[in-house]
Amino acid sequence: MKRIIFSGKGGVGKTTILSNLARLLARDGYKVLVIDCDPSMNLAMSLGISLDDIVSLADDSAHLREMLGSHMEEHDEHEMECTEEDLHEFILPAADGVRLIVMGTIPFGGAGCLCAPISLVRLLVNYLASDTEEYDFIFVDSQAGVEIFGRGLASEFDLSFVITEPTPKSLEVAKHGLKLAGDLGVKRQIVVVNKVEVDEDLQTAKRELDGNAQQIMSVSYDREVVEADKKGALLLDYSPQSSSLQDIMKVKQFMLSVE
């Protein structure tokens, strides 16, 4: 079982790439759990789930206290007072058999940060990883930027996907994310340069990243992604032959080849 985190600057297409990778793997027969740590909670819609059907970790604060006690940071995965039945409430069936857990969002202004739910996600990942036959992959969709690495969520993960555009601002965030994931002992890092229009876009990204990642791949700019989003459709259903999906399939094949 592999634990994989996806990070990147806001708007680079992280959720689109993750959701399609998860569905493609599920279609191949792999058991995939996706955990949405982005407070925008767009991943559910990208996997065919209505926001009305979500029970998030952040929403059920009473249950969190029951499972972990009042001092969450003092616990580890071996001390979690929860069962599979407890977790079932939060695990939602999604497209193609993917499973989804939603961390949740900030409910109102002044409600405070999401530190406690992020800490819970870290414990849940470690807890679920202890059963190596339950899932083949656990994907974590981080919030935009790199703050989530500061919470230690990706510590000792098998793989980090850093999604970026071929633009200076996006590449700076990518470099920072690569550095922080390395600090946490992530075993392998792959950069996906999204929305590539010409080969120079990819070459620019490679020069800027300067060997910081073990592999740099690309996903082409594709108008079909925009059109699917406008219609509220899932790209894999709306345009299964799109150029971007062909590139995402190549990313999937490379990911499966990584030991």
Side-chain angles (χ1 to χ4, degrees):
M1 193 272 290
K2 291 184 178 179
R3 297 170 295 169
I4 303 174
I5 190 162
F6 290 70
S7 65
K9 183 179 178 292
V12 297
K14 172 172 55 68
T15 297
T16 297
I17 290 172
L18 183 157
S19 60
N20 284 287
L21 266 178
R23 291 186 64 188
L24 289 168
L25 286 166
R27 288 185 177 189
D28 287 347
Y30 293 98
K31 295 174 287 186
V32 183
L33 173 68
V34 175
I35 303 178
D36 186 3
C37 291
D38 191 333
S40 67
M41 300 197 301
N42 288 331
L43 183 54
M45 291 187 290
S46 297
L47 289 170
I49 300 175
S50 168
L51 292 179
D52 294 335
D53 296 331
I54 291 174
V55 178
S56 76
L57 301 177
D59 287 337
D60 200 347
S61 58
H63 198 180
L64 301 187
R65 286 193 294 271
E66 178 185 342
M67 291 168 68
L68 294 176
S70 59
H71 301 291
M72 192 176 301
E73 293 293 343
E74 297 176 5
H75 294 257
D76 64 27
E77 65 270 22
H78 303 295
E79 296 172 322
M80 291 180 65
E81 299 174 2
C82 68
T83 65
E84 293 297 326
E85 184 176 345
D86 292 320
L87 297 180
H88 181 74
E89 173 186 359
F90 301 102
I91 300 176
L92 308 172
D96 294 311
V98 174
R99 294 292 184 265
L100 173 68
I101 293 176
V102 177
M103 182 188 73
T105 191
I106 298 171
F108 55 87
C113 69
L114 289 168
C115 299
I118 290 173
S119 293
L120 175 62
V121 170
R122 177 171 55 83
L123 299 179
L124 279 177
V125 169
N126 291 339
Y127 176 78
L128 291 167
S130 66
D131 183 354
T132 57
E133 296 183 0
E134 182 70 19
Y135 296 103
D136 298 304
F137 296 96
I138 296 179
F139 285 1
V140 176
D141 187 14
S142 74
Q143 63 204 97
V146 298
E147 191 276 338
I148 203 164
F149 290 113
R151 303 296 303 172
L153 177 58
S155 180
E156 302 298 328
F157 268 33
D158 300 281
L159 185 60
S160 168
F161 271 108
V162 179
I163 315 301
T164 183
E165 293 176 344
T167 61
K169 292 178 182 177
S170 183
L171 289 166
E172 280 301 316
V173 174
K175 284 191 281 188
H176 195 188
L178 288 166
K179 191 267 182 189
L180 295 177
D183 291 343
L184 292 175
V186 175
K187 298 179 179 65
R188 191 177 185 97
Q189 303 205 59
I190 299 173
V191 171
V192 177
V193 185
N194 194 24
K195 307 178 188 178
V196 168
E197 298 186 73
V198 295
D199 184 62
E200 180 57 25
D201 289 341
L202 180 58
Q203 299 310 316
T204 296
K206 288 181 175 180
R207 286 194 299 270
E208 288 295 319
L209 295 173
D210 191 27
N212 288 302
Q214 284 83 12
Q215 183 72 20
I216 299 177
M217 306 186 73
S218 65
V219 173
S220 60
Y221 175 81
D222 188 350
R223 185 68 191 176
E224 293 295 284
V225 176
V226 178
E227 293 302 319
D229 199 30
K230 284 183 176 179
K231 292 177 170 60
L234 308 183
L235 179 64
L236 194 53
D237 303 326
Y238 178 80
S239 184
Q241 301 304 317
S242 66
S243 61
S244 59
L245 269 177
Q246 302 310 307
D247 290 336
I248 292 171
M249 288 179 186
K250 294 176 184 176
V251 173
K252 181 199 74 170
Q253 292 303 321
F254 181 79
M255 184 188 73
L256 290 174
S257 72
V258 173
E259 294 296 332

